[in-house]
Amino acid sequence: MDRPWTLDETAHAGPEHLDAGFVAGFDRKQGYPDPAGDLAVFAAHGLGGTSTIADLGAGTGTFALAAARRFGHVTAVDVSPAMVEFLTDRAAEAGVRNLDCVRAGFLSYEHRGPLLDGAYTRHALHQLPDFWKAVALDRLARMLRPGGVLLLRDLIYDFAPAEAEEIFARWLDGAADDPTRGYTREDYAEHIRTEHSTFRWLLEPMLTRAGFEIVGVEFRGSLYGAYTCVKR
């Protein structure tokens, strides 16, 4: 089907994510996030050794690789050729055989086979404007079986618009000085200007309308949100 109106997800991914040099240092810049807590959330909802998971915006595969060691099959999806190549090589070196790497995005990944037991995305959905977030969440819901679990982590704004200046000032003051070891003031400012983090009070109705029940919410610093959702 010809869709001239479809968003170019690669253009919205941020040019740094397409650069092999940036990708090589991505885990260090992210602070080597530990996937154990997210794996435990899936396990607490009954996912186990036969479960199928898709990781949308998989990046260098920190979560996807850990999930492949615990669940039956994992599909790692990312729009960046550099990320997909890095993760493919990483999986081969680790001898992980139940992990597929696919170059695609929220709007272009076409899931085939039985419906998924779980879907995961970390710090990726904010790359889409709100209209496309709603489309992406609807697509994710249709990939999941009833009772399937979505775990969404992202930069989500849990404050009133009038509080933005105060919240952002505090966020920028806590930024890293070394760009190789964390996100700097300039990184955060660019995110605010050019990326599409949305307000919590806009995101939650999108999740509900897509067919999810929100069963768990955690926020850190009014900026980082984690949602556990179950497909109705």
Side-chain angles (χ1 to χ4, degrees):
M1 181 183 297
D2 181 28
R3 293 177 177 170
W5 45 269
T6 300
L7 187 77
D8 181 353
E9 290 180 88
T10 305
H12 277 253
E16 70 277 11
H17 296 107
L18 310 178
D19 178 74
F22 178 88
V23 170
F26 183 73
D27 290 338
R28 182 174 63 249
K29 192 174 180 75
Q30 290 277 305
Y32 300 102
D34 184 355
D38 294 333
L39 295 172
V41 171
F42 279 125
H45 284 270
L47 276 64
T50 61
S51 300
T52 57
I53 305 285
D55 181 358
L56 280 293
T60 56
T62 297
F63 175 82
L65 287 166
R69 297 184 180 99
R70 185 156 182 172
F71 303 122
H73 189 272
V74 176
T75 303
V77 181
D78 204 284
V79 297
S80 165
M83 289 288 191
V84 172
E85 181 179 1
F86 187 95
L87 176 50
T88 300
D89 291 345
R90 194 176 179 186
E93 289 172 6
V96 175
R97 301 183 183 279
N98 61 331
L99 171 66
D100 291 333
C101 301
V102 178
R103 185 190 171 196
F106 291 102
L107 308 176
S108 54
Y109 173 60
E110 296 292 343
H111 178 69
R112 292 177 172 82
L115 294 174
L116 296 165
D117 298 300
Y120 179 83
T121 181
R122 181 183 185 275
H123 293 189
L125 190 64
H126 68 256
Q127 293 168 348
L128 298 179
D130 279 2
F131 169 81
W132 294 107
K133 284 189 186 75
V135 173
L137 291 170
D138 179 77
R139 297 186 85 247
L140 277 172
R142 286 187 278 117
M143 295 176 199
L144 284 164
R145 62 169 172 79
V149 181
L150 167 65
L151 181 53
L152 164 65
R153 287 188 173 274
D154 215 322
L155 281 80
I156 302 161
Y157 298 150
D158 186 23
F159 53 83
E163 299 175 288
E165 186 169 352
E166 176 187 350
I167 297 289
F168 288 153
R170 193 159 61 238
W171 192 29
L172 267 62
D173 285 345
D177 295 324
D178 182 350
T180 68
R181 297 189 176 278
Y183 287 92
T184 65
R185 289 178 63 89
E186 291 75 16
D187 290 329
Y188 288 159
E190 184 176 9
H191 176 96
I192 296 165
R193 288 195 309 269
T194 67
E195 301 197 33
H196 303 282
S197 286
T198 196
F199 286 106
R200 172 179 182 172
W201 41 270
L202 294 174
L203 178 66
E204 290 181 0
M206 292 185 205
L207 288 163
T208 302
R209 287 293 295 268
F212 291 106
E213 179 186 358
I214 300 169
V215 298
V217 183
E218 293 182 12
F219 266 83
R220 176 167 57 88
S222 300
L223 291 162
Y224 297 95
Y227 284 81
T228 305
C229 305
V230 174
K231 165 77 175 292
R232 290 194 295 269

